[in-house]
Amino acid sequence: MAQYARGSAVAVIRLRNPPVNALSLAVLQTLEDGLKKADADPSVKAVMICGENGKFSAGADIRGFSSPKRLGGALGPIVSLIESSEKPVVAAIEGVALGGGLEVALGCHYRIAHVKARMGLPEVTIGLLPGAEGTQRLPRLIGVPAALDMITTGKHIPATEALKLGLVDEIVEENTIEAAIRLANKVIGQPLGPRRLSLKPVPKVPNMEAFLDEALVKVKRQARGCLAPELCFQAVRAATQSPFAEGVRRERELFQVLLSSGQAQALQYAFFAERAVRRWATPSGASWSSAAPQPVRRAAVIGLGTMGQGIVTSLVKANIPLVALEQDLENLNKGRKAVMLLLQREAMKMEGGAQILDFHNPAHLQFTVDFDLLRDVDLVIEAVFENMALKKEIFHKLSKICKPGALLCTNTSALNIDEIASATNRPQQVIGTHFFSPAHVMRLLEIIYGRHTSPTAIATAMQLAKALKKVGVVVGNCFGFVGNRMMFPYVQQAVFLLEEGSRPEAVDQVLEDFGFKIGPFRMSDLAGLDVGWRSRKDQGLTGPSLPAGTPARQRHGQRYSPLPDLLCEQGRFGQKTARGWYLYEKAGGRTATPDPWLHNFLSQYRDTHGIQTRFIDQEEILERCLFSLINEGFAILAEGIASGPEHLDVIYINGYGWPEHRGGPMFYASTVGLPRVLAKLQKYSEAHPDVPGLRPSAFLKKLVAVGNPPLKEWMSYLSQQSSKL
Ligand SMILES: CC(C)(COP(=O)(O)OP(=O)(O)OC[C@H]1O[C@@H](n2cnc3c(N)ncnc32)[C@H](O)[C@@H]1OP(=O)(O)O)[C@@H](O)C(=O)NCCC(=O)NCCSC(=O)CC(=O)CCCCCCCCCCCCC(=O)O
Ligand SMILES: NC(=O)C1=CN([C@@H]2O[C@H](COP(=O)(O)OP(=O)(O)OC[C@H]3O[C@@H](n4cnc5c(N)ncnc54)[C@H](O)[C@@H]3O)[C@@H](O)[C@H]2O)C=CC1
């Protein structure tokens, strides 16, 4: 709701809808009523609009988009009503003014902001565009380049930048409300025409059309199949070509297109899913309400390879003092150099970075080979080679050295947390913290609890994720946890498709066209083919421990492709060796070129194994890769490894480059329709009976049998979940 109060000559309208003053229909109605009351009251000479509890408004109530016509119809006209007021209206911006909230402020004649406030038009991130005339007013106020940047990226800008852009008239460090009332009193009686943005021309840019054409290319490249950025662009372009009223009509048309595209629904689902997973719970009932996090005043990272370097960087950026440990001086020096380089790059991206990060101070970041320095840390993150014996040795040592309360975390990508914990005297304090590469960039932190992990340990790891500005997702313990476990059948199908007749570039293209940042073969080359090879050797699937006489393309009675092993045996580890599934310009090169050697190798391989090469169309590539991944997701849900499909979706969006505008794999399955997913899996499974990943999961079958319920009801069809805590 909005609260109307009349003080002296200035009427105050306060937006009130905790926690972020989202603009629901009720809030809009009372805003409109307040404006009309102020207009009708001759003793009111000016109006000030602010938000309750130090927040202006986070915009339209996103949940209200399920009744879009009513919400849509309401906001634009209210912004116009504000602007056309004959009494000056001042926006007092505290906290956030986002989306429709900023559009309300743009309708005001003056804007004053607290120095710590943030502003933005993030509609693009939820699949929409600023549909309350924001695409037409903002370019008139701050110019086309800056408006285009804000509207097509959805970024939030700080008040200081807003002032430089002319988005606000003034910023204050003290009481914004009092300052806004002072300003409102000062401007009483001044002409309002020049303050009405709809009446202003759009500032000219030299060679506007060429500028816009270039901007469109950039917007399309970054959108990767997401519609909203391009339609945001078109709405801003309309502002440069048409009068205000016509631009508004175009904005409304484009808004409607987005609203009915399905992408908006997926992105809004993803928005709420990310917030839902913060409220973690385990099958045995542990949650925030039963556990408080322990403070992490000092941490340690063991192993300064690819992952350790990124984890150290993340901790330094979060201002957590730490010790970084390696196995010997040579690796320590190598790791230190790499970490320093990363930190320098990060510091350059931040205002006042070097001082803020303070990474040259040994009290904040200490490099060592001495385990004794880990005595007083509150939390350790182990990131040594993926080898169970080594990890157990390290954890045994840690449990002897670290203080009793210290939390012991492992960054393993697949190994059993319980087995690692068994090497310690405190299994309740052992937990998986699975970062994603590059660890200082990727937002996902998969948090894995073992059989004995305490709720306090989970709460502490979740709190750490928040401090590192990451999305923590709590999951149970199984081989590969959630993310990698779902990835195995996906990559397996991709390789089987090569055996049957496809090529890496064809498979990658289909999945990149779907919206993945990078296809499975480019991804394997980037991560290093040797990583999986080592793991398969450890599992006895290849290498010297493979029993003599094992069929080349079968393991434990199931289909197996030795193709990745054969590449590794040729020294083809991916980018690091300049060749893998593709050819690269040099070792460490990034430009993947299809490799005639590999094509020839695949033909020979098929000949050797008597495989008839066949043409595989895009539909089959997409369905076999995606549906096998989704199928594994259903198995994970049925086993109680994750508490809901949202967890799987948040993991895939934030850790595996799944296109957010498709809402995550489980949401995507719900949009395709579970009966179709099941039918396709049945078809592929019949064609490949020796591939368990294609065999439909019992939970998927059950959901289809009960009538394909909506995603939010899926979990209610599980009779009981196995407790992992
Ligand atoms: C605000 C944040 C930055 C806060 O972050 P943080 O502190 O980290 O807290 P959170 O946990 O994120 O949030 C707390 C809590 O609040 C919930 N929440 C946040 N924002 C919203 C929101 N906007 N709506 C609803 N709920 C919200 C959040 O979910 C949390 O609750 P929980 O889930 O229970 O834990 C951060 O939250 C943030 O970034 N928020 C999103 C900001 C955003 O995206 N805003 C844009 C909203 S869309 C918008 O404003 C659209 C418009 O421009 C207006 C369109 C008008 C329509 C025009 C239609 C045109 C004509 C069509 C044709 C009509 C035809 C006809 O009428 O006939
Ligand atoms: N590389 C990746 O993309 C990802 C890897 N992981 C996991 O992270 C862990 C580390 O992987 P990477 O960083 O890729 O490996 P890496 O090989 O790049 O680095 C491992 C580091 O550990 C050090 N080390 C080995 N034994 C040690 C000991 N006893 N004491 C101290 N340091 C020791 C090595 O010297 C090396 O620098 C593994 O468990 C891996 O599965 C998890 C997510 C992604």
Side-chain angles (χ1 to χ4, degrees), residues 1-3 13-31 50-64 71 96 101 272:
M1 298 251 271
Q3 188 188 42
I13 300 177
R14 202 177 284 272
L15 308 172
R16 183 200 266 177
N17 186 12
V20 292
N21 300 325
L23 303 172
S24 61
L25 278 174
V27 173
L28 293 182
Q29 188 57 58
T30 46
L31 172 58
C50 62
E52 181 91 343
N53 275 335
K55 288 185 184 107
F56 190 76
S57 167
D61 184 339
I62 299 171
R63 289 194 167 90
L71 189 64
V96 285
F272 288 114

Side-chain angles (χ1 to χ4, degrees), residues 26 130 158 172 176 180 232 379-380 392 518 598 607 610 718:
V172 292
T176 317
C232 283
L379 175 145
V380 182
K392 282 171 88 170
I518 182 167
L598 189 97
D607 289 346
L718 279 176

Side-chain angles (χ1 to χ4, degrees), residues 389-410:
L390 175 62
K391 294 210 190 257
K392 282 171 88 170
E393 183 193 318
I394 300 241
F395 273 73
H396 182 65
K397 211 163 173 180
L398 288 174
S399 87
K400 288 211 284 196
I401 290 172
C402 293
K403 65 184 182 190
L407 191 67
L408 309 181
C409 313
T410 171

Side-chain angles (χ1 to χ4, degrees), residues 13 29 51 77 123 197 214 247 284 310 349 375 390 470 525 549 583 643 697 713:
I13 300 177
Q29 188 57 58
E123 287 85 344
L197 297 180
E214 207 174 298
S284 62
K349 290 188 212 154
R375 277 187 193 288
L390 175 62
K470 296 201 183 290
D525 274 359
L583 202 57
S643 20
S697 109
E713 290 174 18

